[in-house]
Amino acid sequence: MKVLLLGATGNLGSRLIPALLTHDHTTIAFVRSATKLAQLLPQPINEHLHVIEGDAKDATAVKQAVLDNACDAVVSTAGLAALAPWSKSDLPEIFRAVLTGVREAGEERGRPVRVWFLGGFGVLFYPGSETMISNYIPIYLAHRQNLRLLRTLSPDTVDWSMLCPMTMISESSDLSVPTKKTSPLMANASVPPAWRQSWMQSIPLVGRFLTIGMNASRYETTLEQNAEFIADDLESAESRWSGVAVGIIDGSK
Ligand SMILES: NC(=O)c1ccc[n+]([C@@H]2O[C@H](COP(=O)([O-])OP(=O)(O)OC[C@H]3O[C@@H](n4cnc5c(N)ncnc54)[C@H](OP(=O)(O)O)[C@@H]3O)[C@@H](O)[C@H]2O)c1
């Protein structure tokens, strides 16, 4: 596929570059600074990348990047959610602009664009309920507002998925191709996979909070695993993850 990658200089975005190239996706990086990206990457990778400079808050620039490069898909890791509910981040503004850009690009060419967005663990439902985990632990709330926005879209406008990891750590700072072409991640739509229930959940008021705390560290994954998961999914013409928030766990642990 031809993939437009936003956030390529970031933790996840920089791991997505080798993963996308390993899967033979033609990769176009949309970044604020081409120089910063070039300094981050090994020279052989720079040679395989097409780079566009722009701001992800500019919906028209995003739309134009998709159309000018005939991109089949977009992966957006641009912007970082703020931890505390009272902190501000650019993510909601970036998210709205990217969504507008890809929606308009899809409308103009008569075919919805396939898009992977990043969310957080908190937008997944507490298993057995339709209550988001972030209702119990209210952090990184921008992802909730972003998912709500996606759910207002009619299905034929944007072919979206939202990957919702807990903390991602790095396996290596080596950004050279090829990467591993398999990921040990197990995934589930809307709820975290392989959740462990606990007797604690029946404790009044705090039971679910405690059960989330007990489970949380099990959901740590690596940046490389998540990059591989997305790059691999983009090999299929139709994704099983279209229109859903995706929970993941490292099944090899
Ligand atoms: N890291 C985790 O453990 C984790 C866990 C769960 C969810 N997430 C979510 O996953 C996403 C990616 O996380 P990350 O750790 O890779 O974030 P990150 O390292 O902070 O990367 C953010 C990227 O966004 C780019 N960016 C920011 N504003 C931009 C703008 N206006 N236009 C274009 N690009 C812009 C930054 O580019 P510059 O280099 O130009 O600043 C950078 O490349 C975030 O939404 C985060 O909330 C992360």
Side-chain angles (χ1 to χ4, degrees), residues 7-13 32 36 54-57 77-81 91 94 118-120 143 165-168:
T9 53
N11 293 315
L12 181 58
R32 289 193 285 196
K36 180 175 178 182
D55 194 313
K57 290 180 195 164
T77 66
L80 186 65
L91 180 60
I94 291 173
L118 261 291
H143 295 308
M166 176 60 91
T167 310
M168 296 181 282

Side-chain angles (χ1 to χ4, degrees), residues 60-72:
T60 308
V62 174
K63 171 184 162 185
Q64 226 37 64
V66 173
L67 292 175
D68 291 351
N69 295 283
C71 292
D72 309 290

